[in-house]
C-alpha cells in the first residue's frame, strides 16, 4: 500500500506556521521566545515523521503549534480613545504606577489618594497631564466614598466610565490570628473588602452603561493560608470571592471582571521597615499579658524578622502588575485572573496538587520559618519538649531556632 507523501520538516514548519498565524491573526514579536517556539515545532516535526502516522503527526503538530503560538501572541487591544478609569490607592505602589501609565496612554484618570499632599500625590500632579484628577478618599469613611462617587458621575457624564481599578488595600500586623486584635480584622475588611464593595456597587450603573471593566488587585494570601497574614488574607479571600460573583452576574451586561494576584513586589509600604517596626511595637504594647506569656516576645520578634527578610526578596520592578492591570482594561478578551511575578506558578501548583501537610510546610519554610512559642518550649509545664511538638506536627523543612 502506497504511503502518503511526507513533506520535508522545513516545509511542514512553514505551512503550519502560516496557517496558525492566519488563524490566530495575532501580533507576534520576533524574539527569543518566538524563535524557541519555532525550534520546538521543528524538533517535534522531526519526531512526528519518525514515530507517528501522517494524520496523527499532523494533528499533534497543529495542536502544539496552536498552543505555543497562541501563548506568545499579544492579545488584541481596544483603543484608548476617550476612556475614563478610576483607580483607588494611588498614593504609592501599583496604583501610583498604573495612574502614570494610563495617563501617558491617553486615559482620563481619576486617582484617589489618602492625602492630596502626599509625595505620591504631588508626583502625579507634577508628571501627569491635566486629564488626571486627584481625589482624596479614605475607604473607611462613607462620606469620602460618597463624594468620590458623585464626582465620578458628574465628571464622566459625557465620556462614560470605562473602568474601575480596586487597588487600595491595607495590611496592619504580622502575627498569628490569635495575636491579632479583632479590630485588625475589622479594619482590613473595611478597607480591602467593604471599601471595594462600596466603590464597585456605587459605580456599577456607569460600568453597565459602558459595558466596561472591573479590575481588582487581590493577593495569593487570599487563596492560601500564608503564615501570620490571617487578617489580610481573610479580607482578600472575601474580596476574590465577591469579584467572582460579580464576574458571573455582570456577564449579561458585557462587564468583564478581572482579579490581579501579584507576587511580592517592592512597593513603598513593603520597603518601609520603620513602619513595620512601629506596628510590631504597637502589637507588643497592646497584647494581653496572658498571650504575651504564652507566645513570648521573642516569638513576635522572630515573626517580624522573618517577614522583613521575605520582603527584602520582593521584586523591584512593578511593571508586570501595571501591565496586567492595563491588559485587563484594554484586552478584547481579558483573563479572569492574572498572576504577575516570578514563582507564583510553583506556589499554586504545590497548593492545589500536593498533600495538605506538604503545602503547610512549604508555606512555612517559604515565607516564615516555624518558631516554637514560649509555653511550648522544652522545660515549660505541661509539655515534655519542643521536639515532641515538632513530631506531632510532622517534619519541617526548616527547624525552629529554639529546637536543639
Amino acid at each position: 500500500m502506497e504511503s502518503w507523501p511526507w513533506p520535508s520538516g522545513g516545509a511542514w514548519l512553514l505551512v503550519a506556521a502560516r496557517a496558525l498565524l492566519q488563524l490566530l491573526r495575532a501580533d507576534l514579536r520576533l524574539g527569543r521566545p518566538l524563535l524557541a517556539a519555532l525550534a520546538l515545532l521543528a524538533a517535534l516535526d522531526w519526531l512526528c515523521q519518525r514515530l507517528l502516522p501522517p494524520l496523527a503527526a499532523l494533528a499533534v503538530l497543529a495542536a502544539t503549534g496552536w498552543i505555543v503560538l497562541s501563548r506568545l501572541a499579544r492579545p488584541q487591544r481596544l483603543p484608548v480613545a476617550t476612556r475614563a478609569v478610576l483607580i483607588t490607592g494611588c498614593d504609592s505602589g501599583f496604583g501610583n504606577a498604573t495612574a502614570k501609565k494610563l495617563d501617558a496612554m491617553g486615559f482620563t484618570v481619576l486617582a484617589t489618594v489618602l492625602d492630596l499632599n502626599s509625595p505620591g500625590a504631588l508626583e502625579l500632579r507634577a508628571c501627569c497631564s491635566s486629564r488626571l484628577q486627584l481625589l482624596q478618599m479614605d475607604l473607611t469613611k462613607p462620606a469620602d466614598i460618597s463624594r468620590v462617587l458623585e464626582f465620578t458621575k458628574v465628571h464622566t457624564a459625557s465620556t462614560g466610565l470605562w473602568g474601575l481599578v480596586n487597588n487600595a488595600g491595607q495590611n496592619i500586623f504580622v502575627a498569628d490570628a490569635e495575636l491579632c486584635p479583632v479590630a485588625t480584622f475589622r479594619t482590613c475588611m473595611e478597607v480591602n473588602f467593604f471599601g471595594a464593595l462600596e466603590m464597585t456597587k456605587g459605580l456599577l450603573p456607569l460600568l453597565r452603561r459602558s459595558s466596561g471593566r472591573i479590575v481588582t488587585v487581590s493577593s495569593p494570601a487570599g487563596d492560601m493560608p500564608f503564615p501570620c497574614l490571617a487578617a489580610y488574607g481573610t479580607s482578600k479571600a472575601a474580596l476574590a470571592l465577591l469579584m467572582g460573583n460579580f464576574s458571573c452576574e455582570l456577564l449579561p451586561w458585557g462587564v468583564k471582571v478581572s482579579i490581579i494576584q501579584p507576587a511580592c513586589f517592592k512597593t513603598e509600604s513593603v520597603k518601609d521597615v520603620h513602619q513595620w517596626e512601629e506596628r510590631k511595637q504597637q502589637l507588643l504594647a497592646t497584647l494581653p499579658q496572658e498571650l504575651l506569656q504564652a507566645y513570648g516576645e521573642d516569638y513576635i520578634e522572630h515573626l517580624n524578622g522573618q517577614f522583613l527578610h521575605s520582603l527584602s526578596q520582593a521584586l523591584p520592578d512593578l511593571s508586570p502588575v501595571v501591565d496586567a492591570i492595563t491588559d485587563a482594561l484594554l484586552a478584547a478578551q481579558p483573563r479572569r485572573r492574572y498572576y504577575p511575578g516570578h514563582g507564583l506558578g510553583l506556589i499554586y501548583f504545590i497548593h492545589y496538587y500536593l498533600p495538605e501537610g506538604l503545602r503547610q510546610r512549604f508555606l512555612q519554610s517559604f515565607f516564615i520559618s516555624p518558631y516554637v512559642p514560649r509555653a511550648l518550649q522544652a522545660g515549660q509545664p505541661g509539655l515534655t519538649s519542643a521536639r515532641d511538638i515538632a513530631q506531632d506536627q510532622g517534619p519541617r523543612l526548616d527547624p525552629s531556632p529554639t529546637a536543639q
Side-chain angles (χ1 to χ4, degrees), residues 126-299:
C127 71
C128 293
S129 71
S130 59
R131 292 188 308 274
L132 185 138
Q133 297 286 328
L134 284 174
L135 307 172
Q136 190 280 326
M137 183 177 69
D138 183 339
L139 282 174
T140 64
K141 297 180 179 179
D144 285 7
I145 295 176
S146 298
R147 176 169 39 80
V148 169
L149 292 177
E150 188 59 34
F151 179 91
T152 304
K153 293 172 185 176
V154 173
H155 194 76
T156 61
S158 59
T159 61
L161 180 69
W162 173 250
L164 165 64
V165 180
N166 290 308
N167 168 71
Q170 187 176 36
N171 182 26
I172 303 174
F173 291 131
V174 179
D176 291 10
E178 186 181 15
L179 300 178
C180 284
V182 174
T184 300
F185 284 83
R186 289 198 177 102
T187 301
C188 284
M189 288 296 291
E190 196 67 39
V191 175
N192 301 342
F193 176 76
F194 286 111
L197 173 61
E198 286 195 62
M199 291 299 298
T200 303
K201 285 176 64 68
L203 295 175
L204 268 180
L206 302 179
L207 295 169
R208 284 191 285 103
R209 197 173 304 150
S210 65
S211 296
R213 305 292 169 84
I214 300 172
V215 184
T216 300
V217 179
S218 186
S219 169
D223 287 338
M224 56 193 82
F226 277 90
C228 305
L229 293 180
Y232 177 75
T234 299
S235 65
K236 290 296 188 178
L239 179 63
L241 183 59
L242 172 69
M243 292 302 152
N245 288 335
F246 276 135
S247 178
C248 296
E249 296 165 0
L250 296 174
L251 199 59
W253 298 92
V255 177
K256 294 182 171 60
V257 181
S258 297
I259 301 173
I260 313 296
Q261 304 279 63
C264 187
F265 287 83
K266 282 189 178 179
T267 59
E268 278 72 6
S269 62
V270 166
K271 293 185 290 186
D272 192 350
V273 177
H274 179 67
Q275 166 193 258
W276 295 111
E277 179 64 26
E278 283 186 339
R279 292 179 178 177
K280 180 197 71 177
Q281 295 300 334
Q282 180 185 353
L283 177 64
L284 288 170
T286 58
L287 202 63
Q289 193 64 26
E290 180 185 357
L291 284 179
L292 187 59
Q293 288 293 329
Y295 283 87
E297 185 174 339
D298 54 343
Y299 182 87

Side-chain angles (χ1 to χ4, degrees), residues 32-56:
R32 281 184 292 181
L34 179 58
L35 294 176
L38 294 177
L40 171 66
L41 292 176
L44 183 63
D45 168 68
W46 183 85
L47 287 173
C48 287
Q49 290 187 49
R50 287 155 179 77
L51 301 177
L52 297 176
L55 288 179

Side-chain angles (χ1 to χ4, degrees), residues 224-227 346-368 370 392-398:
M224 56 193 82
F226 277 90
L346 174 62
I347 294 174
Y348 274 94
F349 175 83
I350 290 174
H351 177 67
Y352 285 120
Y353 297 108
L354 294 190
E356 183 177 357
L358 290 178
R359 296 200 305 262
Q360 292 178 350
R361 290 197 290 275
F362 172 79
L363 283 177
Q364 287 177 335
S365 62
F366 172 79
F367 189 58
I368 294 180
D392 291 340
Q393 295 175 345
R396 295 178 302 195
L397 297 178
D398 187 8

Side-chain angles (χ1 to χ4, degrees), residues 14-177:
L14 183 60
V15 170
R18 283 179 177 175
L20 286 167
L21 286 175
Q22 290 176 356
L23 184 60
L24 289 169
R25 296 180 180 177
D27 183 11
L28 290 170
R29 295 176 180 175
L30 181 60
R32 281 184 292 181
L34 179 58
L35 294 176
L38 294 177
L40 171 66
L41 292 176
L44 183 63
D45 168 68
W46 183 85
L47 287 173
C48 287
Q49 290 187 49
R50 287 155 179 77
L51 301 177
L52 297 176
L55 288 179
L58 178 60
V60 170
L61 188 63
T64 305
W66 172 273
I67 294 171
V68 171
L69 294 181
S70 63
R71 295 283 293 181
L72 294 175
R74 289 182 290 182
Q76 294 180 345
R77 290 284 183 90
L78 303 174
V80 173
T82 59
R83 300 182 196 274
V85 175
L86 187 144
I87 310 171
T88 65
C90 295
D91 296 86
S92 62
F94 303 140
N96 186 278
T98 302
K100 287 188 283 191
K101 177 170 182 177
L102 296 185
D103 176 77
M105 294 174 66
F107 278 92
T108 296
V109 177
L110 308 180
T112 75
V113 293
L114 266 176
D115 183 0
L116 290 172
N117 294 314
S118 67
L122 296 176
E123 180 187 10
L124 289 176
R125 189 177 288 118
C127 71
C128 293
S129 71
S130 59
R131 292 188 308 274
L132 185 138
Q133 297 286 328
L134 284 174
L135 307 172
Q136 190 280 326
M137 183 177 69
D138 183 339
L139 282 174
T140 64
K141 297 180 179 179
D144 285 7
I145 295 176
S146 298
R147 176 169 39 80
V148 169
L149 292 177
E150 188 59 34
F151 179 91
T152 304
K153 293 172 185 176
V154 173
H155 194 76
T156 61
S158 59
T159 61
L161 180 69
W162 173 250
L164 165 64
V165 180
N166 290 308
N167 168 71
Q170 187 176 36
N171 182 26
I172 303 174
F173 291 131
V174 179
D176 291 10

